[in-house]
């Protein structure tokens, strides 16, 4: 019985991959299993007024969003094939560079990303569905 309970607990655990760091112009490609994307975004360091624009497949999801310590959750239905997520620094806040933390969740796999962007620069995350 104990062995079965341990196996069930291990099945429920999420795989958290190593944090990927993206800077100006970087891109990151992920293979995706699920039809949906769960994305969390927040200020990685101290809350200093960093503002970003988040686009998924050319659709603006967050236009002039000020990153906070509290995680903002976004759900998005992915299309088949290539899905492009673009994060652009709109302001650097009081402590440059613009540092946002993102976590992409696919079923039970978490992909942590730290963005370090200069003003008006972007990083791209491509999800292959």
């Amino acid at each position: 019985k104990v062995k079965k309970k341990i196996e069930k607990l291990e099945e429920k655990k999420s795989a958290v991959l190593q944090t990927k760091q993206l800077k100006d112009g970087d891109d990151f490609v992920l293979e995706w299993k699920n039809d949906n994307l769960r994305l969390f975004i927040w200020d990685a360091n101290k809350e200093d007024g960093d503002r970003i624009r988040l686009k998924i497949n050319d659709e603006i999801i967050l236009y002039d969003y000020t990153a906070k310590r509290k995680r903002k959750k976004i759900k998005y239905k992915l299309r088949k094939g290539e899905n492009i997520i673009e994060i652009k620094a709109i302001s650097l806040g009081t402590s440059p560079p613009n540092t946002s933390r993102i976590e992409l969740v696919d079923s039970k796999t978490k992909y942590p990303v730290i963005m370090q962007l200069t003003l008006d620069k972007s990083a791209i995350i491509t999800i292959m569905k």
Side-chain angles (χ1 to χ4, degrees):
K1 281 186 175 183
V2 171
K3 188 177 178 184
K4 280 186 181 181
K5 280 190 177 188
I6 291 171
E7 286 171 3
K8 279 187 180 183
L9 283 173
E10 286 176 358
E11 282 174 19
K12 286 183 182 180
K13 283 184 187 173
S14 297
V16 178
L17 302 183
Q18 186 174 354
T19 300
K20 178 83 173 166
Q21 192 166 21
L22 299 179
K23 296 185 184 230
D24 300 348
D26 284 352
D27 57 1
F28 179 36
V29 179
L30 296 169
E31 292 289 328
W32 211 257
K33 294 179 179 94
N34 204 341
D35 289 337
N36 297 305
L37 163 70
R38 279 187 301 148
L39 183 147
F40 296 91
I41 188 161
W42 68 99
D43 196 318
N45 296 321
K46 67 174 182 148
E47 229 177 87
D48 66 338
D50 289 339
R51 293 194 337 263
I52 57 150
R53 183 177 70 214
L54 172 72
K55 285 179 17 179
I56 303 176
N57 297 331
D58 288 325
E59 180 185 338
I60 296 175
I61 307 299
L62 299 173
Y63 178 69
D64 188 4
Y65 178 72
T66 302
K68 308 274 187 207
R69 294 285 301 155
K70 187 176 188 303
R71 295 167 23 138
K72 175 154 185 74
K73 182 179 183 178
I74 295 163
K75 290 182 179 179
Y76 190 84
K77 176 114 172 98
L78 297 171
R79 61 186 183 203
K80 250 204 173 351
E82 190 176 73
N83 293 270
I84 308 286
I85 300 170
E86 178 188 1
I87 297 98
K88 182 176 185 176
I90 304 296
S91 88
L92 301 179
T94 57
S95 176
N98 181 312
T99 50
S100 298
R101 182 133 194 179
I102 295 174
E103 187 176 83
L104 305 155
V105 183
D106 178 16
S107 300
K108 293 183 179 181
T109 306
K110 294 180 181 180
Y111 300 92
V113 179
I114 291 180
M115 314 291 284
Q116 289 187 322
L117 302 173
T118 56
L119 190 60
D120 289 329
K121 297 294 182 185
S122 301
I124 304 287
I125 299 170
T126 304
I127 292 179
M128 299 303 294
K129 171 79 185 90

